[in-house]
Amino acid sequence: MNRYWSSLTKSLQPYIPGEQTKGQSFIKLNTNENPFSPPRAVIDAINKASCDLRLYPPPEADFLRESIATNFSLTKDEVFVGNGSDEILGFCFPAFFENDKPILFPDITYSFYKVYATLFKVNYKLVPLDDEYRIVPETFTQKNGGIIIANPNAPTGICLSIAEIEIILKNNPNSVVMIDEAYIDFGGTTAVRLIPKYDNLLVIQTLSKSRSLAGLRVGFALGNASLIEALTRIKNSFNSYTLDRLAIAGAIASFNENDYFEKTRKEIMAVRDETANALQKLGFRVLPSKANFLFVSHERIAAKVLFAKLQAAGILVRYFDAPRIDNFLRITIGTAQDMRDLIVNLRMIIGRV
Ligand SMILES: *Cc1c(COP(=O)(O)O)cnc(C)c1O
């Protein structure tokens, strides 16, 4: 009942995450999780940290920020950490945006941006992708109160080059430009090296996808120290301890396991490109992906039908019932075996319909 709800609560349209399965043996290709387990050293570090759970965690997670800074050749005061990158994206709204100046993001992108805009009462203007589902940098030169770009974009998987990101930065010296790089480790080039040149750039990454740690909830933002300070002020006005001891320990260990990181992300990219070829042979249009998922549309069979038939066959993928993309499926890259099973099932389904 709505009796005790604030008008804000009534106005919200919360984000709907992809399904998590309970016990059933689905092939789970619907939430862009990594098919590989985190490395053993991460589990060991978490076990070790569990001895200190009596104590609050270090509020600014200094050792973790230090380790991320080293990894990106930055300093600790250019690094912010959060409980998943979603939390950081949320903190950015009160940190950088005003209610009366609309922010810009693409019409087709991560649907959480709209949700935060409503929660924090920030107006937004949607900037259309072109007919090939690409972000056009020159369309982000209009007046605005801030910009959010997912690069690679979700759910398309299409990636902008550094030169294209730089067009957006150059044309917006008075706005914070957030680049959400949740999928950057699957073949794109990070904008991190532009940070010394642009004090309005904030790059946001996560350990959820390329580092196999979706369940640990760790994300980070990289940018000019004064942007980081703004995020710290917001965090410390909300919750001093957004990362627990287990998350901090596991994340630090993850950044020490670079061989494993390189090996698994390369494997996912190779399986992605093989899967894209196989899908094209089955009559799918496959958008060029630099992410750990493919966004595909069949020449003959509606995405909604394929979604239901795959689910009945025990394979979960993601379907968005939204304008311009309601004939597409987003398919996470699983193991090579997962993707062989997917192709076999799709071939049967397509043959029958
Ligand atoms: C998965 C995802 C995130 C959120 O990642 P968490 O760190 O798990 O909160 C952010 N942005 C995009 C575009 C994503 O796909």
Side-chain angles (χ1 to χ4, degrees), residues 32 84-86 89 110 113 150 154 180 182-183 206 208-209 217-219:
N32 297 343
S85 57
D86 284 339
L89 294 167
Y110 190 37
Y113 307 150
D180 178 353
Y183 301 103
T206 175
S208 295
K209 315 289 174 32
R217 311 305 305 130
V218 184

Side-chain angles (χ1 to χ4, degrees), residues 7-301:
S7 51
L8 174 64
T9 304
K10 287 178 197 158
S11 79
L12 300 178
Q13 283 187 295
Y15 179 76
I16 303 165
E19 244 178 294
Q20 289 297 333
T21 51
K22 301 175 203 78
Q24 316 94 310
S25 56
F26 275 104
I27 297 179
K28 196 170 173 305
L29 308 176
N30 67 334
T31 50
N32 297 343
E33 287 142 336
N34 198 304
F36 299 105
S37 300
R40 184 70 228 174
V42 169
I43 312 301
D44 291 344
I46 290 171
N47 282 333
K48 193 151 165 262
S50 68
C51 301
D52 292 325
L53 285 175
R54 185 178 66 78
L55 302 169
Y56 278 110
E60 307 312 336
D62 284 305
F63 287 130
L64 174 55
R65 286 166 55 226
E66 199 77 72
S67 122
I68 295 172
T70 307
N71 193 66
F72 289 92
S73 304
L74 296 169
T75 59
K76 193 180 65 174
D77 60 354
E78 296 168 307
V79 180
F80 179 81
V81 291
N83 192 274
S85 57
D86 284 339
E87 181 183 74
I88 303 175
L89 294 167
F91 285 167
C92 286
F93 280 69
F96 306 122
F97 304 149
E98 304 290 346
N99 300 353
D100 56 346
K101 287 197 212 146
I103 62 166
L104 306 178
F105 49 83
D107 62 339
I108 297 166
T109 191
Y110 190 37
S111 44
F112 233 132
Y113 307 150
K114 260 186 209 172
V115 176
Y116 292 129
T118 310
L119 178 62
F120 292 106
K121 302 190 180 192
V122 169
N123 293 319
Y124 59 88
K125 188 176 164 199
L126 300 178
V127 179
L129 301 184
D130 73 6
D131 292 341
E132 301 291 308
Y133 296 90
R134 289 175 303 213
I135 291 171
V136 182
E138 291 75 15
T139 56
F140 285 86
T141 55
Q142 54 191 300
K143 204 161 155 277
N144 66 76
I147 290 177
I148 313 177
I149 302 279
N151 195 47
N153 197 13
T156 63
I158 299 175
C159 197
L160 292 174
S161 68
I162 290 299
E164 290 172 305
I165 297 285
E166 209 165 355
I167 294 173
I168 299 174
L169 286 163
K170 261 200 195 114
N171 281 286
N172 291 283
N174 300 318
S175 306
V176 172
V177 177
M178 293 159 54
I179 308 294
D180 178 353
E181 295 188 346
Y183 301 103
I184 200 68
D185 296 323
F186 300 107
T189 306
T190 174
V192 169
R193 70 179 160 82
L194 299 177
I195 288 172
K197 205 167 153 191
Y198 296 95
D199 64 1
N200 59 331
L201 167 62
L202 192 75
V203 176
I204 297 140
Q205 294 194 5
T206 175
L207 279 66
S208 295
K209 315 289 174 32
S210 58
R211 290 185 182 268
S212 304
L213 289 169
L216 201 63
R217 311 305 305 130
V218 184
F220 56 95
L222 308 171
N224 184 278
S226 71
L227 296 184
I228 300 305
E229 189 186 347
L231 288 171
T232 308
R233 287 172 70 95
I234 296 288
K235 186 208 78 158
N236 286 328
S237 304
F238 177 72
N239 175 3
S240 309
Y241 307 109
T242 50
L243 267 76
D244 62 56
R245 283 186 173 273
L246 309 184
I248 292 170
I252 292 173
S254 169
F255 281 101
N256 292 331
E257 295 297 311
N258 258 318
D259 291 350
Y260 188 84
F261 170 68
E262 290 299 330
K263 191 174 127 235
T264 49
R265 76 187 183 103
K266 282 181 185 145
E267 167 75 8
I268 289 167
M269 287 188 268
V271 171
R272 172 191 68 206
D273 296 344
E274 285 163 23
T275 307
N277 280 332
L279 288 168
Q280 273 161 346
K281 285 188 192 133
L282 289 178
F284 282 95
R285 171 183 182 189
V286 182
L287 299 190
S289 172
K290 292 268 190 261
N292 67 337
F293 57 82
L294 293 168
F295 203 49
V296 306
S297 179
H298 195 261
E299 59 191 4
R300 194 163 55 79
I301 306 167

